[in-house]
Amino acid sequence: MMVNSKKRWAYTSLSAMMALSVVLAGCSSAKDDKKEAGGAGGKTVNLTFAVETPKQEETKAVWQEIVDGYSKKRPDVKIKLDYAPNDGDAFRTWLTTGLIGGTAPEIVPSRYTWTHEDLNKDLLVDMTPEYDKPNPYTDNKVWKDTFTPTILNEMKNPISGKLSGVALQTLSIRVFYNQDVFKKFGLQVPKTWTEFIDVQKKLKAGGVTPFAFANSKPGDNHLLWVVNMMTNQIAAEKVKNFDVNKNRQLELNEIAAAVDQGVINLESPDWNAVLPIVKDWSQYWAKGFNGTNGDTAKEMFLRGDVAMVMAGNFELKTIQDSKARKFEYGTFALPYLTKQDNPNASEKNVELGGYPDMVFTIPKKVTGEKLDASLDFLKYLSSPEVATIMGNKMYTATTLADIQLPDNLKGFQFVGERILVNFYAAHINKKLNEDLARIGQLYLENSVTLDMYTKELQKTLKNGINEVMKTNNWSKDNDYGSKK
């Protein structure tokens, strides 16, 4: 009897252990399933991803498509799409307030020049180490190696060389023209500046306003674009030897060297001779150009009030899909200067585009699993999969290397060299960028002379460069911080 009792106890214990094993196995399986769907520990990471408020509702759907695509790959990360102001000044105020006050979303839109400023103020995450790691959404290639080198280089902070943002698109500037009007007047697409002005003379004589030029504020960029492209056509050769690292663009320290040694002097005709050319061109612009912003200039073109307007590829979708437009349009690169216009002209196109745009960054407050998820999402945003979606549906030209542009962007492929010197850009000297447009308004309306205009520009440039040289301890003796 005792043996039988022991056997019954053994069988009962074994049955209980087996039952317990099944229960535990079930629990373990449930935990594994939860872990697979929800990341480490079954947690869901919640992020807010903000973009500039799109001007077209359809673009919001594209952003949501991109977010949904990521969610399928990472169901453990829940992303809420949010919107920032798209007006430049309001946008900057929104971003600065959020970064300083700690209220900004985990992933925020920015400008590449702003990422430089905000990183210097310790408001952003330094992503430099992350760029040396693989991107799982680009066949595990090292993240930094997937970008066009010039784009990545310009994204680097000019003082520290660190990276604090990701640029998804680059820009190409084009003149959009009304093909119907050109056909009516028997006009051909101009290639040289002389041809360009001749086209506008004929249009004006025929009662058509040739061009809508936006110059209400520095952010309109039309004057910046034109002056930079033209200046590089007549003066780039003079500073080629300052390109120490031979990457076909002058960084801040290389520009500092050229200014410090007097090679860049905005009071010299070597650098300011394009300004009278631009002023002469202004007689063909729509009236009130100093009060016309970019959107108004574009609307004038779409209504047929003017024959041409200047815009980047980021405006292509708006122009192509506009219901107000009742004509066929085309694009061409801003015509180049010939030696007839200036004896130093290179007589070839020099393109302003190719710099970083549609930039996203992460506030310094973001840490831990939220930071890891945010970085992972930025890697997904900079993948070929997303670049294809954005190219086909947003008409954005990707910053990734070796990615072919979609058919709708063929007209924006470079036809010339990229500018070498971009010293009017805000990231080089914000006040110079502002003075170019604001004092430029006075110059274009004959309120100040060329000498007065360029004297102020040179003063601003020199003061700004002296300040940055002092901050970074750059001098001719230490090769302005250049590494050889």
Side-chain angles (χ1 to χ4, degrees):
M1 291 292 295
M2 291 183 63
V3 173
N4 289 338
S5 176
K6 289 181 179 180
K7 284 184 178 180
R8 280 197 302 272
W9 180 86
Y11 291 149
T12 302
S13 299
L14 180 59
S15 298
M17 291 175 63
M18 290 177 65
L20 180 60
S21 298
V22 170
V23 172
L24 291 175
C27 291
S28 177
S29 177
K31 287 181 180 179
D32 290 343
D33 289 344
K34 189 174 181 181
K35 183 176 181 180
E36 183 178 345
K43 295 181 181 179
T44 296
V45 181
N46 293 292
L47 303 176
T48 298
F49 167 49
V51 301
E52 288 184 66
T53 303
K55 295 179 180 179
Q56 293 182 319
E57 285 297 316
E58 297 89 339
T59 304
K60 291 184 178 181
V62 179
W63 279 121
Q64 190 60 56
E65 177 185 345
I66 292 169
V67 168
D68 292 343
Y70 180 73
S71 296
K72 292 178 181 178
K73 299 176 185 296
R74 288 290 306 271
D76 58 313
V77 180
K78 185 177 180 180
I79 296 179
K80 176 188 175 184
L81 190 59
D82 199 5
Y83 301 100
N86 57 21
D87 173 77
D89 292 337
F91 177 25
R92 186 52 170 149
T93 300
W94 173 89
L95 179 60
T96 302
T97 301
L99 291 176
I100 294 175
T103 59
E106 284 78 17
I107 303 165
V108 292
S110 187
R111 302 277 192 271
Y112 80 105
T113 55
W114 297 350
T115 65
H116 299 163
E117 296 173 19
D118 293 337
L119 181 65
N120 292 340
K121 297 174 183 176
D122 199 31
L123 295 173
L124 301 178
V125 169
D126 175 13
M127 300 184 196
T128 311
E130 198 67 25
Y131 270 95
D132 289 322
K133 298 177 183 178
N135 183 348
Y137 306 104
T138 312
D139 297 329
N140 280 320
K141 294 179 181 177
V142 174
W143 197 17
K144 66 182 180 182
D145 294 342
T146 64
F147 292 91
T148 302
T150 54
I151 295 292
L152 194 67
N153 195 61
E154 208 151 344
M155 283 296 297
K156 292 179 180 178
N157 187 286
I159 294 176
S160 65
K162 295 179 179 179
L163 290 156
S164 56
V166 178
L168 299 187
Q169 83 159 346
T170 184
L171 302 181
S172 182
I173 307 304
R174 288 292 178 266
V175 174
F176 285 76
Y177 72 100
N178 186 319
Q179 289 185 336
D180 296 356
V181 170
F182 268 50
K183 185 176 181 180
K184 177 182 177 181
F185 284 84
L187 303 173
Q188 300 297 315
V189 171
K191 292 185 177 181
T192 69
W193 194 257
T194 300
E195 294 170 353
F196 187 44
I197 296 300
D198 186 57
V199 162
Q200 292 172 88
K201 284 180 180 177
K202 291 176 180 176
L203 288 170
K204 189 173 182 178
V208 175
T209 302
F211 210 96
F213 196 90
N215 199 45
S216 68
K217 59 184 182 301
D220 290 326
N221 289 324
H222 283 197
L223 189 62
L224 169 71
W225 294 343
V226 171
V227 171
N228 254 333
M229 284 188 274
M230 285 187 173
T231 301
N232 275 266
Q233 291 177 46
I234 70 171
E237 286 294 324
K238 295 173 173 50
V239 291
K240 257 188 172 178
N241 62 315
F242 287 91
D243 182 20
V244 177
N245 59 9
K246 305 302 178 186
N247 67 346
R248 273 295 307 162
Q249 62 179 18
L250 261 60
E251 280 79 35
L252 182 58
N253 66 319
E254 294 170 338
I255 292 174
V259 173
D260 186 51
Q261 296 180 35
V263 180
I264 293 179
N265 182 348
L266 303 185
E267 294 184 81
S268 164
D270 287 344
W271 294 92
N272 66 34
V274 301
L275 295 174
I277 296 174
V278 175
K279 186 173 182 178
D280 178 68
W281 175 32
S282 68
Q283 66 184 290
Y284 301 107
W285 301 346
K287 293 180 180 179
F289 53 82
N290 277 340
T292 301
N293 63 32
D295 286 339
T296 301
K298 181 180 59 184
E299 289 163 6
M300 293 169 69
F301 174 71
L302 292 172
R303 290 195 305 264
D305 296 342
V306 298
M308 290 174 281
V309 72
M310 194 161 44
N313 58 283
F314 53 90
E315 296 285 11
L316 176 60
K317 183 172 178 61
T318 301
I319 292 174
Q320 179 171 297
D321 296 348
S322 171
K323 295 180 181 179
R325 180 175 57 83
K326 307 300 181 185
F327 56 86
E328 295 297 320
Y329 74 90
T331 63
F332 58 85
L334 188 74
Y336 57 84
L337 301 171
T338 66
K339 296 193 181 299
Q340 179 181 340
D341 304 301
N342 185 285
N344 294 323
S346 61
E347 298 193 312
K348 61 185 178 183
N349 288 103
V350 177
E351 303 246 26
L352 176 66
Y355 59 85
D357 193 50
M358 196 179 285
V359 174
F360 292 95
T361 187
I362 303 173
K364 187 70 177 288
K365 69 160 190 174
V366 181
T367 58
E369 59 188 11
K370 284 184 178 287
L371 176 58
D372 293 339
S374 297
L375 289 167
D376 189 73
F377 181 62
L378 287 180
K379 288 183 177 181
Y380 175 70
L381 285 183
S382 55
S383 68
E385 177 183 330
V386 173
T388 300
I389 295 172
M390 294 178 67
N392 289 326
K393 297 184 179 182
M394 292 186 188
Y395 299 174
T396 59
T398 181
T399 56
L400 300 181
D402 303 321
I403 300 293
Q404 189 172 1
L405 292 176
D407 291 340
N408 53 26
L409 288 171
K410 295 299 184 186
F412 289 86
Q413 289 181 320
F414 272 26
V415 295
E417 294 181 357
R418 187 180 183 278
I419 64 169
L420 178 66
V421 191
N422 192 20
F423 54 79
Y424 285 114
H427 73 287
I428 298 296
N429 189 314
K430 185 177 180 181
K431 189 174 187 303
L432 182 65
N433 174 265
E434 294 171 347
D435 285 354
L436 176 71
R438 289 175 178 158
I439 304 177
Q441 290 176 334
L442 301 176
Y443 170 67
L444 291 170
E445 63 184 27
N446 295 314
S447 296
V448 301
T449 64
L450 177 65
D451 288 344
M452 295 168 64
Y453 184 19
T454 56
K455 182 179 181 180
E456 285 300 314
L457 291 179
Q458 176 62 19
K459 178 182 176 182
T460 298
L461 176 63
K462 188 70 175 176
N463 287 343
I465 290 300
N466 285 343
E467 183 178 340
V468 79
M469 286 176 58
K470 183 179 179 180
T471 299
N472 293 283
N473 193 31
W474 292 341
S475 67
K476 188 175 182 179
D477 292 338
N478 63 18
D479 294 320
Y480 303 92
S482 294
K483 297 178 181 179
K484 294 186 177 180

